[in-house]
Amino acid sequence: MVELYLQNENYTVFKYYTAHEALERIVREEFDLAVLDIMLPDSTGLAICQKIREKHTYPVIMLTAKDAETDKITGLTLGADDYITKPFRPLELVARVKAQLRRYKKYSGGAPGDSGVIVHSGLVINVNTREVLLNEKPLSLTPTEFSILRILCEHKGTVVSAEKLFHKIWGDEYFTKSNNTITVHIRHLREKMGDTPDNPRYIKTVWGVGYKIEK
């Protein structure tokens, strides 16, 4: 069913029923996005996600029958960009796929007239190559982490709410006050940057409002 809905939107779909089949093709093929079911007969979608993130930065959407918050957080921590809990509407999945691809392409290149490079306090973001350096050392970021960091740097000195970040990245209306997707991505981003919420050098939490990077 998922395959049919995506093909109806003119996407080329490669479908695999086991983790073994998927991992074999991931090594050989170039994909633009992966939709992973967590429960698989020979492994888990989480393990595949982790393997993808070793070499690839394209978006990953998790499909899960588990709605426990820990499962969602685990998926996001391993590098997933979004998750959908079963049962779901096929058109919702299509919308999420479109949003992820739109964001990935948008934040993979510079805006017209943009130099393509953002520099801030030892942080260098090349929006054309999607490379990020922190104190001259490369940072390996997921597409969502890259997007969050770029947006915050583009709005230096201004507080950006979690809701605004969510809409800028996903471009849909699935945000709720209880949605902690952005929080998890921010936490993971801080860990990679060696930043702390108590004494942040880069990403500052403005409680009850959002996040900011000081000028």
Side-chain angles (χ1 to χ4, degrees):
M1 182 182 66
V2 169
E3 180 183 31
L4 288 174
Y5 270 88
L6 291 174
Q7 286 177 337
N8 192 50
E9 297 293 328
N10 296 317
Y11 292 118
T12 300
V13 181
F14 297 85
K15 180 175 59 179
Y16 310 104
Y17 291 101
T18 67
H20 178 73
E21 290 176 317
L23 289 171
E24 278 192 335
R25 290 302 292 268
I26 286 168
V27 173
R28 303 198 308 265
E29 300 283 348
E30 287 294 328
F31 296 107
D32 296 308
L33 179 141
V35 179
L36 305 176
D37 198 334
I38 286 187
M39 304 299 289
L40 297 171
D42 56 341
S43 185
T44 68
L46 296 174
I48 297 178
C49 179
Q50 199 167 18
K51 196 69 178 177
I52 288 173
R53 285 294 172 250
E54 289 179 5
K55 294 185 177 180
H56 305 286
T57 60
Y58 52 75
V60 173
I61 299 175
M62 305 297 303
L63 298 181
T64 174
K66 299 181 177 181
D67 59 0
E69 205 65 23
T70 52
D71 293 306
K72 297 175 184 177
I73 291 173
T74 299
L76 295 172
T77 300
L78 290 175
D81 296 279
D82 199 4
Y83 57 82
I84 301 178
T85 304
K86 299 177 183 178
F88 59 88
R89 294 171 297 170
L91 289 178
E92 177 185 347
L93 174 60
V94 171
R96 298 288 187 104
V97 167
K98 286 183 177 180
Q100 286 294 333
L101 289 173
R102 183 171 59 245
R103 173 197 49 74
Y104 183 53
K105 291 176 182 178
K106 176 181 178 181
Y107 290 107
S108 290
D114 192 351
S115 66
V117 178
I118 301 171
V119 180
H120 172 72
S121 187
L123 185 66
V124 179
I125 303 173
N126 189 318
V127 297
N128 296 311
T129 63
R130 297 191 74 260
E131 293 176 309
V132 180
L133 298 177
L134 180 59
N135 297 323
E136 300 184 355
K137 295 182 179 179
L139 284 181
S140 179
L141 303 182
T142 68
T144 299
E145 291 164 356
F146 179 87
S147 298
I148 289 173
L149 188 59
R150 176 182 175 177
I151 291 167
L152 291 176
C153 283
E154 287 176 339
H155 293 79
K156 279 188 294 185
T158 303
V159 179
V160 182
S161 69
E163 184 173 3
K164 185 174 181 179
L165 277 172
F166 192 95
H167 289 310
K168 274 184 168 290
I169 293 169
W170 283 280
D172 56 33
E173 301 300 325
Y174 297 110
F175 180 86
T176 63
K177 294 299 181 183
S178 61
N179 192 317
N180 67 352
T181 303
I182 293 295
T183 304
V184 174
H185 285 304
I186 290 284
R187 186 178 68 197
H188 210 212
L189 189 53
R190 279 174 170 155
E191 289 173 357
K192 291 183 177 182
M193 297 175 70
D195 220 0
T196 63
D198 297 328
N199 187 27
R201 182 181 176 189
Y202 295 99
I203 303 174
K204 179 181 179 181
T205 300
V206 181
W207 296 108
V209 184
Y211 304 95
K212 71 182 295 188
I213 288 181
E214 300 284 5
K215 283 188 176 181

